[in-house]
Amino acid sequence: MRRHIAGMQIRLPDQSSTEHLAARIAGLCAPGDCIALSGGLGAGKTTFARAFLRVLARDPQMEVPSPSFALVQPYDTSAGPVFHYDLWRLDGPDALYELAWDEACEGIMLVEWPERAEDLLPANALHLTLTSGATEDERFAELTGWPDERLSGIAL
């Protein structure tokens, strides 16, 4: 039986630490993986998502628009197709089928506001919850869902 992380927490003292964590996780991803990003407004989800996508695309200057209005933004990367979802405005999980959800499950998924997908979120998703710290730039990331051995060495 595989052991799963029960609540690994990483302190991210500044924006570059958040970007570094995104790069480390991107390096562990393969088709079929889902990163579920949770956290309040301003918690750092967009910073994480942009760094994650730039690493997978191997383009540190790549424009990464927020998928807030389109709900999904697809990318072709060196790791395969990546689908960046922002489900904040989703009408309900049934609407995911109109947004290439089944196809996305075969690629790499980056899902903001994952709770809106309800039971359609892949069971093997890495849940990354970002919370604000004591300073404007400090964040904390809590990681759950992947086996311990998959995230070994992820600590910054």
Side-chain angles (χ1 to χ4, degrees), residues 90-122:
L90 189 72
D91 290 333
D94 290 340
L96 291 172
Y97 294 111
E98 299 171 21
L99 300 172
W101 189 260
D102 289 336
E103 178 186 347
C105 288
E106 295 175 16
I108 296 173
M109 300 170 71
L110 185 60
V111 182
E112 297 184 50
W113 305 100
E115 63 279 1
R116 296 183 186 267
E118 297 180 9
D119 294 340
L120 296 179
L121 193 71

PDB file of all heavy atoms in Angstrom, residues 90-122:
ATOM      1  N   LEU A  90     -17.287  28.513 -13.129  1.00  0.00           N
ATOM      2  CA  LEU A  90     -17.935  27.314 -13.661  1.00  0.00           C
ATOM      3  C   LEU A  90     -19.369  27.203 -13.151  1.00  0.00           C
ATOM      4  O   LEU A  90     -19.635  27.389 -11.966  1.00  0.00           O
ATOM      5  CB  LEU A  90     -17.141  26.070 -13.250  1.00  0.00           C
ATOM      6  CG  LEU A  90     -17.564  24.776 -13.910  1.00  0.00           C
ATOM      7  CD1 LEU A  90     -17.133  24.776 -15.375  1.00  0.00           C
ATOM      8  CD2 LEU A  90     -16.939  23.590 -13.185  1.00  0.00           C
ATOM      9  N   ASP A  91     -20.306  26.887 -14.060  1.00  0.00           N
ATOM     10  CA  ASP A  91     -21.711  26.757 -13.688  1.00  0.00           C
ATOM     11  C   ASP A  91     -22.010  25.476 -12.923  1.00  0.00           C
ATOM     12  O   ASP A  91     -23.051  25.346 -12.313  1.00  0.00           O
ATOM     13  CB  ASP A  91     -22.599  26.802 -14.946  1.00  0.00           C
ATOM     14  CG  ASP A  91     -22.611  28.184 -15.566  1.00  0.00           C
ATOM     15  OD1 ASP A  91     -22.415  29.172 -14.838  1.00  0.00           O
ATOM     16  OD2 ASP A  91     -22.810  28.271 -16.791  1.00  0.00           O
ATOM     17  N   GLY A  92     -21.148  24.529 -12.980  1.00  0.00           N
ATOM     18  CA  GLY A  92     -21.318  23.247 -12.308  1.00  0.00           C
ATOM     19  C   GLY A  92     -20.432  22.227 -12.987  1.00  0.00           C
ATOM     20  O   GLY A  92     -19.975  22.436 -14.113  1.00  0.00           O
ATOM     21  N   PRO A  93     -20.152  21.104 -12.324  1.00  0.00           N
ATOM     22  CA  PRO A  93     -19.213  20.144 -12.887  1.00  0.00           C
ATOM     23  C   PRO A  93     -19.626  19.592 -14.245  1.00  0.00           C
ATOM     24  O   PRO A  93     -18.772  19.228 -15.048  1.00  0.00           O
ATOM     25  CB  PRO A  93     -19.128  19.046 -11.828  1.00  0.00           C
ATOM     26  CG  PRO A  93     -20.270  19.264 -10.914  1.00  0.00           C
ATOM     27  CD  PRO A  93     -20.676  20.685 -11.032  1.00  0.00           C
ATOM     28  N   ASP A  94     -20.913  19.545 -14.554  1.00  0.00           N
ATOM     29  CA  ASP A  94     -21.343  19.036 -15.859  1.00  0.00           C
ATOM     30  C   ASP A  94     -20.821  19.902 -17.012  1.00  0.00           C
ATOM     31  O   ASP A  94     -20.626  19.417 -18.121  1.00  0.00           O
ATOM     32  CB  ASP A  94     -22.868  18.943 -15.940  1.00  0.00           C
ATOM     33  CG  ASP A  94     -23.417  17.834 -15.051  1.00  0.00           C
ATOM     34  OD1 ASP A  94     -22.634  16.919 -14.688  1.00  0.00           O
ATOM     35  OD2 ASP A  94     -24.611  17.885 -14.714  1.00  0.00           O
ATOM     36  N   ALA A  95     -20.572  21.175 -16.745  1.00  0.00           N
ATOM     37  CA  ALA A  95     -20.067  22.083 -17.775  1.00  0.00           C
ATOM     38  C   ALA A  95     -18.634  21.737 -18.184  1.00  0.00           C
ATOM     39  O   ALA A  95     -18.163  22.177 -19.234  1.00  0.00           O
ATOM     40  CB  ALA A  95     -20.127  23.520 -17.278  1.00  0.00           C
ATOM     41  N   LEU A  96     -17.939  20.927 -17.388  1.00  0.00           N
ATOM     42  CA  LEU A  96     -16.563  20.552 -17.719  1.00  0.00           C
ATOM     43  C   LEU A  96     -16.466  19.758 -19.012  1.00  0.00           C
ATOM     44  O   LEU A  96     -15.465  19.828 -19.711  1.00  0.00           O
ATOM     45  CB  LEU A  96     -15.930  19.756 -16.575  1.00  0.00           C
ATOM     46  CG  LEU A  96     -15.650  20.558 -15.318  1.00  0.00           C
ATOM     47  CD1 LEU A  96     -15.215  19.639 -14.188  1.00  0.00           C
ATOM     48  CD2 LEU A  96     -14.589  21.619 -15.591  1.00  0.00           C
ATOM     49  N   TYR A  97     -17.494  19.010 -19.334  1.00  0.00           N
ATOM     50  CA  TYR A  97     -17.452  18.197 -20.550  1.00  0.00           C
ATOM     51  C   TYR A  97     -17.372  19.062 -21.804  1.00  0.00           C
ATOM     52  O   TYR A  97     -16.861  18.629 -22.830  1.00  0.00           O
ATOM     53  CB  TYR A  97     -18.638  17.244 -20.606  1.00  0.00           C
ATOM     54  CG  TYR A  97     -18.564  16.223 -19.499  1.00  0.00           C
ATOM     55  CD1 TYR A  97     -19.466  16.234 -18.453  1.00  0.00           C
ATOM     56  CD2 TYR A  97     -17.550  15.265 -19.484  1.00  0.00           C
ATOM     57  CE1 TYR A  97     -19.383  15.303 -17.431  1.00  0.00           C
ATOM     58  CE2 TYR A  97     -17.453  14.337 -18.461  1.00  0.00           C
ATOM     59  CZ  TYR A  97     -18.377  14.356 -17.433  1.00  0.00           C
ATOM     60  OH  TYR A  97     -18.281  13.450 -16.415  1.00  0.00           O
ATOM     61  N   GLU A  98     -17.851  20.295 -21.727  1.00  0.00           N
ATOM     62  CA  GLU A  98     -17.767  21.223 -22.848  1.00  0.00           C
ATOM     63  C   GLU A  98     -16.382  21.887 -22.934  1.00  0.00           C
ATOM     64  O   GLU A  98     -16.105  22.618 -23.871  1.00  0.00           O
ATOM     65  CB  GLU A  98     -18.830  22.315 -22.710  1.00  0.00           C
ATOM     66  CG  GLU A  98     -20.245  21.768 -22.703  1.00  0.00           C
ATOM     67  CD  GLU A  98     -21.265  22.838 -22.350  1.00  0.00           C
ATOM     68  OE1 GLU A  98     -20.952  24.038 -22.494  1.00  0.00           O
ATOM     69  OE2 GLU A  98     -22.368  22.465 -21.920  1.00  0.00           O
ATOM     70  N   LEU A  99     -15.540  21.628 -21.937  1.00  0.00           N
ATOM     71  CA  LEU A  99     -14.229  22.281 -21.849  1.00  0.00           C
ATOM     72  C   LEU A  99     -13.070  21.289 -22.020  1.00  0.00           C
ATOM     73  O   LEU A  99     -12.006  21.472 -21.441  1.00  0.00           O
ATOM     74  CB  LEU A  99     -14.101  22.987 -20.490  1.00  0.00           C
ATOM     75  CG  LEU A  99     -15.135  24.065 -20.201  1.00  0.00           C
ATOM     76  CD1 LEU A  99     -15.027  24.542 -18.762  1.00  0.00           C
ATOM     77  CD2 LEU A  99     -14.966  25.230 -21.173  1.00  0.00           C
ATOM     78  N   ALA A 100     -13.291  20.239 -22.785  1.00  0.00           N
ATOM     79  CA  ALA A 100     -12.258  19.237 -23.097  1.00  0.00           C
ATOM     80  C   ALA A 100     -11.738  18.524 -21.852  1.00  0.00           C
ATOM     81  O   ALA A 100     -10.580  18.111 -21.801  1.00  0.00           O
ATOM     82  CB  ALA A 100     -11.110  19.873 -23.883  1.00  0.00           C
ATOM     83  N   TRP A 101     -12.577  18.355 -20.844  1.00  0.00           N
ATOM     84  CA  TRP A 101     -12.146  17.754 -19.579  1.00  0.00           C
ATOM     85  C   TRP A 101     -11.631  16.326 -19.771  1.00  0.00           C
ATOM     86  O   TRP A 101     -10.588  15.971 -19.227  1.00  0.00           O
ATOM     87  CB  TRP A 101     -13.295  17.787 -18.576  1.00  0.00           C
ATOM     88  CG  TRP A 101     -12.898  17.382 -17.188  1.00  0.00           C
ATOM     89  CD1 TRP A 101     -13.092  16.175 -16.600  1.00  0.00           C
ATOM     90  CD2 TRP A 101     -12.236  18.190 -16.210  1.00  0.00           C
ATOM     91  NE1 TRP A 101     -12.595  16.183 -15.325  1.00  0.00           N
ATOM     92  CE2 TRP A 101     -12.074  17.410 -15.062  1.00  0.00           C
ATOM     93  CE3 TRP A 101     -11.773  19.504 -16.202  1.00  0.00           C
ATOM     94  CZ2 TRP A 101     -11.464  17.892 -13.895  1.00  0.00           C
ATOM     95  CZ3 TRP A 101     -11.175  19.986 -15.042  1.00  0.00           C
ATOM     96  CH2 TRP A 101     -11.020  19.183 -13.914  1.00  0.00           C
ATOM     97  N   ASP A 102     -12.333  15.518 -20.536  1.00  0.00           N
ATOM     98  CA  ASP A 102     -11.891  14.136 -20.746  1.00  0.00           C
ATOM     99  C   ASP A 102     -10.537  14.088 -21.430  1.00  0.00           C
ATOM    100  O   ASP A 102      -9.652  13.320 -21.053  1.00  0.00           O
ATOM    101  CB  ASP A 102     -12.923  13.343 -21.554  1.00  0.00           C
ATOM    102  CG  ASP A 102     -14.177  13.052 -20.755  1.00  0.00           C
ATOM    103  OD1 ASP A 102     -14.110  13.032 -19.511  1.00  0.00           O
ATOM    104  OD2 ASP A 102     -15.232  12.837 -21.375  1.00  0.00           O
ATOM    105  N   GLU A 103     -10.359  14.922 -22.444  1.00  0.00           N
ATOM    106  CA  GLU A 103      -9.070  15.006 -23.145  1.00  0.00           C
ATOM    107  C   GLU A 103      -7.987  15.500 -22.195  1.00  0.00           C
ATOM    108  O   GLU A 103      -6.858  14.994 -22.192  1.00  0.00           O
ATOM    109  CB  GLU A 103      -9.196  15.950 -24.336  1.00  0.00           C
ATOM    110  CG  GLU A 103      -7.914  16.157 -25.100  1.00  0.00           C
ATOM    111  CD  GLU A 103      -8.044  17.216 -26.197  1.00  0.00           C
ATOM    112  OE1 GLU A 103      -9.170  17.627 -26.540  1.00  0.00           O
ATOM    113  OE2 GLU A 103      -6.999  17.635 -26.704  1.00  0.00           O
ATOM    114  N   ALA A 104      -8.320  16.486 -21.366  1.00  0.00           N
ATOM    115  CA  ALA A 104      -7.352  17.059 -20.431  1.00  0.00           C
ATOM    116  C   ALA A 104      -6.872  16.030 -19.419  1.00  0.00           C
ATOM    117  O   ALA A 104      -5.710  16.059 -19.007  1.00  0.00           O
ATOM    118  CB  ALA A 104      -7.972  18.255 -19.711  1.00  0.00           C
ATOM    119  N   CYS A 105      -7.727  15.111 -19.029  1.00  0.00           N
ATOM    120  CA  CYS A 105      -7.343  14.080 -18.055  1.00  0.00           C
ATOM    121  C   CYS A 105      -6.227  13.181 -18.587  1.00  0.00           C
ATOM    122  O   CYS A 105      -5.533  12.530 -17.814  1.00  0.00           O
ATOM    123  CB  CYS A 105      -8.550  13.244 -17.649  1.00  0.00           C
ATOM    124  SG  CYS A 105      -9.710  14.139 -16.589  1.00  0.00           S
ATOM    125  N   GLU A 106      -6.042  13.157 -19.891  1.00  0.00           N
ATOM    126  CA  GLU A 106      -4.967  12.362 -20.490  1.00  0.00           C
ATOM    127  C   GLU A 106      -3.666  13.157 -20.574  1.00  0.00           C
ATOM    128  O   GLU A 106      -2.596  12.587 -20.774  1.00  0.00           O
ATOM    129  CB  GLU A 106      -5.383  11.874 -21.868  1.00  0.00           C
ATOM    130  CG  GLU A 106      -6.555  10.912 -21.813  1.00  0.00           C
ATOM    131  CD  GLU A 106      -7.064  10.516 -23.181  1.00  0.00           C
ATOM    132  OE1 GLU A 106      -6.346  10.736 -24.181  1.00  0.00           O
ATOM    133  OE2 GLU A 106      -8.177   9.991 -23.244  1.00  0.00           O
ATOM    134  N   GLY A 107      -3.750  14.475 -20.457  1.00  0.00           N
ATOM    135  CA  GLY A 107      -2.564  15.335 -20.460  1.00  0.00           C
ATOM    136  C   GLY A 107      -2.229  15.708 -19.029  1.00  0.00           C
ATOM    137  O   GLY A 107      -2.527  14.979 -18.088  1.00  0.00           O
ATOM    138  N   ILE A 108      -1.597  16.856 -18.871  1.00  0.00           N
ATOM    139  CA  ILE A 108      -1.314  17.406 -17.545  1.00  0.00           C
ATOM    140  C   ILE A 108      -2.341  18.495 -17.296  1.00  0.00           C
ATOM    141  O   ILE A 108      -2.577  19.337 -18.153  1.00  0.00           O
ATOM    142  CB  ILE A 108       0.117  17.978 -17.472  1.00  0.00           C
ATOM    143  CG1 ILE A 108       1.139  16.855 -17.675  1.00  0.00           C
ATOM    144  CG2 ILE A 108       0.342  18.690 -16.139  1.00  0.00           C
ATOM    145  CD1 ILE A 108       2.573  17.341 -17.799  1.00  0.00           C
ATOM    146  N   MET A 109      -2.947  18.457 -16.123  1.00  0.00           N
ATOM    147  CA  MET A 109      -3.973  19.441 -15.774  1.00  0.00           C
ATOM    148  C   MET A 109      -3.485  20.319 -14.622  1.00  0.00           C
ATOM    149  O   MET A 109      -2.920  19.822 -13.655  1.00  0.00           O
ATOM    150  CB  MET A 109      -5.260  18.741 -15.340  1.00  0.00           C
ATOM    151  CG  MET A 109      -5.850  17.857 -16.396  1.00  0.00           C
ATOM    152  SD  MET A 109      -7.200  16.843 -15.734  1.00  0.00           S
ATOM    153  CE  MET A 109      -8.467  18.075 -15.490  1.00  0.00           C
ATOM    154  N   LEU A 110      -3.718  21.601 -14.741  1.00  0.00           N
ATOM    155  CA  LEU A 110      -3.467  22.570 -13.686  1.00  0.00           C
ATOM    156  C   LEU A 110      -4.819  23.213 -13.428  1.00  0.00           C
ATOM    157  O   LEU A 110      -5.353  23.896 -14.301  1.00  0.00           O
ATOM    158  CB  LEU A 110      -2.439  23.596 -14.170  1.00  0.00           C
ATOM    159  CG  LEU A 110      -1.949  24.627 -13.186  1.00  0.00           C
ATOM    160  CD1 LEU A 110      -1.274  23.962 -11.992  1.00  0.00           C
ATOM    161  CD2 LEU A 110      -0.972  25.567 -13.879  1.00  0.00           C
ATOM    162  N   VAL A 111      -5.400  22.957 -12.258  1.00  0.00           N
ATOM    163  CA  VAL A 111      -6.792  23.343 -12.008  1.00  0.00           C
ATOM    164  C   VAL A 111      -6.880  24.287 -10.813  1.00  0.00           C
ATOM    165  O   VAL A 111      -6.607  23.897  -9.674  1.00  0.00           O
ATOM    166  CB  VAL A 111      -7.668  22.093 -11.747  1.00  0.00           C
ATOM    167  CG1 VAL A 111      -9.123  22.507 -11.530  1.00  0.00           C
ATOM    168  CG2 VAL A 111      -7.547  21.096 -12.890  1.00  0.00           C
ATOM    169  N   GLU A 112      -7.250  25.542 -11.089  1.00  0.00           N
ATOM    170  CA  GLU A 112      -7.521  26.493 -10.024  1.00  0.00           C
ATOM    171  C   GLU A 112      -8.991  26.378  -9.629  1.00  0.00           C
ATOM    172  O   GLU A 112      -9.838  26.153 -10.468  1.00  0.00           O
ATOM    173  CB  GLU A 112      -7.214  27.913 -10.500  1.00  0.00           C
ATOM    174  CG  GLU A 112      -5.736  28.112 -10.837  1.00  0.00           C
ATOM    175  CD  GLU A 112      -5.427  29.543 -11.221  1.00  0.00           C
ATOM    176  OE1 GLU A 112      -5.830  30.467 -10.474  1.00  0.00           O
ATOM    177  OE2 GLU A 112      -4.772  29.734 -12.266  1.00  0.00           O
ATOM    178  N   TRP A 113      -9.273  26.524  -8.344  1.00  0.00           N
ATOM    179  CA  TRP A 113     -10.610  26.361  -7.780  1.00  0.00           C
ATOM    180  C   TRP A 113     -11.121  24.929  -8.041  1.00  0.00           C
ATOM    181  O   TRP A 113     -12.209  24.723  -8.572  1.00  0.00           O
ATOM    182  CB  TRP A 113     -11.591  27.415  -8.303  1.00  0.00           C
ATOM    183  CG  TRP A 113     -11.085  28.815  -8.079  1.00  0.00           C
ATOM    184  CD1 TRP A 113     -10.483  29.621  -9.002  1.00  0.00           C
ATOM    185  CD2 TRP A 113     -11.091  29.543  -6.856  1.00  0.00           C
ATOM    186  NE1 TRP A 113     -10.121  30.817  -8.425  1.00  0.00           N
ATOM    187  CE2 TRP A 113     -10.484  30.798  -7.109  1.00  0.00           C
ATOM    188  CE3 TRP A 113     -11.539  29.267  -5.571  1.00  0.00           C
ATOM    189  CZ2 TRP A 113     -10.322  31.767  -6.114  1.00  0.00           C
ATOM    190  CZ3 TRP A 113     -11.384  30.228  -4.589  1.00  0.00           C
ATOM    191  CH2 TRP A 113     -10.789  31.461  -4.874  1.00  0.00           C
ATOM    192  N   PRO A 114     -10.322  23.902  -7.706  1.00  0.00           N
ATOM    193  CA  PRO A 114     -10.663  22.509  -8.038  1.00  0.00           C
ATOM    194  C   PRO A 114     -11.921  21.985  -7.360  1.00  0.00           C
ATOM    195  O   PRO A 114     -12.544  21.054  -7.878  1.00  0.00           O
ATOM    196  CB  PRO A 114      -9.429  21.730  -7.574  1.00  0.00           C
ATOM    197  CG  PRO A 114      -8.837  22.580  -6.494  1.00  0.00           C
ATOM    198  CD  PRO A 114      -9.085  23.998  -6.945  1.00  0.00           C
ATOM    199  N   GLU A 115     -12.304  22.571  -6.254  1.00  0.00           N
ATOM    200  CA  GLU A 115     -13.514  22.095  -5.553  1.00  0.00           C
ATOM    201  C   GLU A 115     -14.755  22.227  -6.430  1.00  0.00           C
ATOM    202  O   GLU A 115     -15.741  21.508  -6.254  1.00  0.00           O
ATOM    203  CB  GLU A 115     -13.705  22.821  -4.214  1.00  0.00           C
ATOM    204  CG  GLU A 115     -13.938  24.311  -4.312  1.00  0.00           C
ATOM    205  CD  GLU A 115     -12.675  25.167  -4.486  1.00  0.00           C
ATOM    206  OE1 GLU A 115     -11.558  24.614  -4.563  1.00  0.00           O
ATOM    207  OE2 GLU A 115     -12.831  26.398  -4.548  1.00  0.00           O
ATOM    208  N   ARG A 116     -14.730  23.099  -7.422  1.00  0.00           N
ATOM    209  CA  ARG A 116     -15.881  23.275  -8.315  1.00  0.00           C
ATOM    210  C   ARG A 116     -16.021  22.129  -9.314  1.00  0.00           C
ATOM    211  O   ARG A 116     -17.056  21.982  -9.941  1.00  0.00           O
ATOM    212  CB  ARG A 116     -15.790  24.618  -9.026  1.00  0.00           C
ATOM    213  CG  ARG A 116     -15.876  25.782  -8.028  1.00  0.00           C
ATOM    214  CD  ARG A 116     -15.855  27.112  -8.723  1.00  0.00           C
ATOM    215  NE  ARG A 116     -15.790  28.201  -7.770  1.00  0.00           N
ATOM    216  CZ  ARG A 116     -16.856  28.833  -7.280  1.00  0.00           C
ATOM    217  NH1 ARG A 116     -18.065  28.490  -7.641  1.00  0.00           N
ATOM    218  NH2 ARG A 116     -16.697  29.826  -6.426  1.00  0.00           N
ATOM    219  N   ALA A 117     -14.982  21.300  -9.444  1.00  0.00           N
ATOM    220  CA  ALA A 117     -15.061  20.118 -10.318  1.00  0.00           C
ATOM    221  C   ALA A 117     -15.740  18.951  -9.597  1.00  0.00           C
ATOM    222  O   ALA A 117     -16.113  17.967 -10.235  1.00  0.00           O
ATOM    223  CB  ALA A 117     -13.670  19.693 -10.771  1.00  0.00           C
ATOM    224  N   GLU A 118     -15.877  19.076  -8.294  1.00  0.00           N
ATOM    225  CA  GLU A 118     -16.490  18.047  -7.447  1.00  0.00           C
ATOM    226  C   GLU A 118     -15.866  16.682  -7.721  1.00  0.00           C
ATOM    227  O   GLU A 118     -14.645  16.553  -7.710  1.00  0.00           O
ATOM    228  CB  GLU A 118     -18.010  18.059  -7.607  1.00  0.00           C
ATOM    229  CG  GLU A 118     -18.631  19.373  -7.140  1.00  0.00           C
ATOM    230  CD  GLU A 118     -20.135  19.432  -7.289  1.00  0.00           C
ATOM    231  OE1 GLU A 118     -20.774  18.410  -7.607  1.00  0.00           O
ATOM    232  OE2 GLU A 118     -20.687  20.530  -7.082  1.00  0.00           O
ATOM    233  N   ASP A 119     -16.659  15.665  -7.981  1.00  0.00           N
ATOM    234  CA  ASP A 119     -16.173  14.293  -8.154  1.00  0.00           C
ATOM    235  C   ASP A 119     -15.435  14.065  -9.468  1.00  0.00           C
ATOM    236  O   ASP A 119     -14.873  12.986  -9.674  1.00  0.00           O
ATOM    237  CB  ASP A 119     -17.334  13.299  -8.057  1.00  0.00           C
ATOM    238  CG  ASP A 119     -17.950  13.261  -6.679  1.00  0.00           C
ATOM    239  OD1 ASP A 119     -17.291  13.689  -5.716  1.00  0.00           O
ATOM    240  OD2 ASP A 119     -19.105  12.792  -6.553  1.00  0.00           O
ATOM    241  N   LEU A 120     -15.423  15.047 -10.366  1.00  0.00           N
ATOM    242  CA  LEU A 120     -14.751  14.875 -11.661  1.00  0.00           C
ATOM    243  C   LEU A 120     -13.254  15.150 -11.586  1.00  0.00           C
ATOM    244  O   LEU A 120     -12.523  14.843 -12.528  1.00  0.00           O
ATOM    245  CB  LEU A 120     -15.399  15.758 -12.720  1.00  0.00           C
ATOM    246  CG  LEU A 120     -16.855  15.414 -13.038  1.00  0.00           C
ATOM    247  CD1 LEU A 120     -17.412  16.363 -14.092  1.00  0.00           C
ATOM    248  CD2 LEU A 120     -16.978  13.975 -13.499  1.00  0.00           C
ATOM    249  N   LEU A 121     -12.786  15.700 -10.466  1.00  0.00           N
ATOM    250  CA  LEU A 121     -11.356  15.912 -10.308  1.00  0.00           C
ATOM    251  C   LEU A 121     -10.681  14.542 -10.171  1.00  0.00           C
ATOM    252  O   LEU A 121     -11.162  13.688  -9.437  1.00  0.00           O
ATOM    253  CB  LEU A 121     -11.080  16.749  -9.057  1.00  0.00           C
ATOM    254  CG  LEU A 121      -9.671  17.300  -8.937  1.00  0.00           C
ATOM    255  CD1 LEU A 121      -9.448  18.414  -9.964  1.00  0.00           C
ATOM    256  CD2 LEU A 121      -9.435  17.831  -7.550  1.00  0.00           C
ATOM    257  N   PRO A 122      -9.596  14.304 -10.912  1.00  0.00           N
ATOM    258  CA  PRO A 122      -8.925  13.002 -10.815  1.00  0.00           C
ATOM    259  C   PRO A 122      -8.549  12.661  -9.370  1.00  0.00           C
ATOM    260  O   PRO A 122      -8.059  13.510  -8.620  1.00  0.00           O
ATOM    261  CB  PRO A 122      -7.679  13.173 -11.685  1.00  0.00           C
ATOM    262  CG  PRO A 122      -8.069  14.217 -12.683  1.00  0.00           C
ATOM    263  CD  PRO A 122      -8.958  15.166 -11.909  1.00  0.00           C
TER     264      PRO A 122
END
